Amino acid sequence: MSAYKYIGEAWRKPNEGLVRELRSKRLVSWRRSAAIVTVENPTRLDQARSLGYKAKQGVIVTRVRIMRGPMNVERPHSGRRPKRMGVYGITSRKSTRWVAEERVARKFPNMEVLGSYWVGSDGKYSWYEVILVDPSSPSVLSDKNLSWLASPAQRGRVFKGLSPAGRKARGLFRSGKGAEKVGKGRSVNYKKE
């Protein structure tokens, strides 16, 4: 087996073995650090490489911290029974991973999001590592595997739902029966009477 496969096997059960020990130590320092931090090396090298990460100029990895849980919805002021308050059980259409990608993209406006992956979570926060690529960097433009990010169609790709997290939320990984109308916008799929 390759080294990447061993790393992947270890991360498959993150609450066991060496990964659990490393994560519990890391989370203590991660809680004290800023919400968005640039890291030197990816925590999960196998995942980073599968998304297209390369240790070269113009490619960076950032770790981002996101609050867990559903959306914070204001309680109604007028009286009604708790069931009809419309506070509990409300979840966002976007995953926390997609929100993390968007926050990093706003922090680094000259770079494009290539992909992201989960690295840890506790009761309050989730941490993701986001791979960013500078599309104007000469080393990226000369790379046949990364030069496609310089295309104007890829500008602001995370906000268009073109990153893996966005594509998953849009349902593009579904196929077959029941997924005939997935992929277009919601307004396109709206059934007209």
Side-chain angles (χ1 to χ4, degrees):
M1 285 199 308
S2 68
Y4 297 131
K5 191 162 184 181
Y6 280 111
I7 296 168
E9 287 287 330
W11 274 93
R12 197 156 290 154
K13 294 180 180 176
N15 294 326
E16 296 175 12
L18 184 65
V19 175
R20 181 185 180 182
E21 291 173 30
L22 290 171
R23 242 186 52 217
S24 60
K25 291 174 185 173
R26 283 175 181 153
L27 291 182
V28 174
S29 61
W30 289 359
R31 281 186 207 105
R32 296 189 183 121
S33 63
I36 299 173
V37 181
T38 305
V39 294
E40 284 185 29
N41 300 308
T43 308
R44 299 177 66 177
L45 190 58
D46 61 318
Q47 279 283 62
R49 290 286 289 147
S50 69
L51 288 168
Y53 167 79
K54 290 185 179 182
K56 63 183 339 182
Q57 226 173 7
V59 182
I60 63 166
V61 179
T62 58
R63 186 177 62 245
V64 58
R65 184 183 71 211
I66 295 284
M67 283 272 275
R68 292 180 71 188
M71 295 161 59
N72 295 323
V73 181
E74 196 176 337
R75 285 177 76 85
H77 299 297
S78 56
R80 63 197 73 178
R81 59 195 168 123
K83 181 181 180 180
R84 301 295 176 207
M85 283 278 181
V87 175
Y88 301 114
I90 295 173
T91 55
S92 174
R93 276 205 172 101
K94 288 183 185 177
S95 64
T96 51
R97 188 173 138 215
W98 193 1
V99 172
E101 287 179 356
E102 287 184 342
R103 286 188 189 173
V104 172
R106 285 191 187 96
K107 175 109 175 169
F108 299 91
N110 65 318
M111 305 192 97
E112 295 298 340
V113 172
L114 186 62
S116 63
Y117 50 90
W118 175 89
V119 286
S121 56
D122 61 8
K124 192 174 183 182
Y125 301 110
S126 280
W127 286 269
Y128 296 93
E129 282 187 0
V130 182
I131 302 163
L132 295 162
V133 177
D134 183 2
S136 60
S137 172
S139 60
V140 170
L141 289 169
S142 62
D143 190 327
K144 62 176 183 176
N145 296 323
L146 295 173
S147 59
W148 59 272
L149 281 164
S151 158
Q154 298 298 325
R155 199 173 294 132
R157 65 194 303 266
V158 71
F159 303 109
K160 299 174 184 175
L162 299 179
S163 66
R167 284 168 57 80
K168 186 176 181 183
R170 288 165 61 203
L172 297 183
F173 298 138
R174 288 173 55 206
S175 63
K177 191 175 178 184
E180 293 88 357
K181 294 184 178 181
V182 165
K184 305 171 202 80
R186 276 183 293 146
S187 59
V188 175
N189 293 330
Y190 183 72
K191 189 177 178 182
K192 292 175 182 173
E193 295 295 318

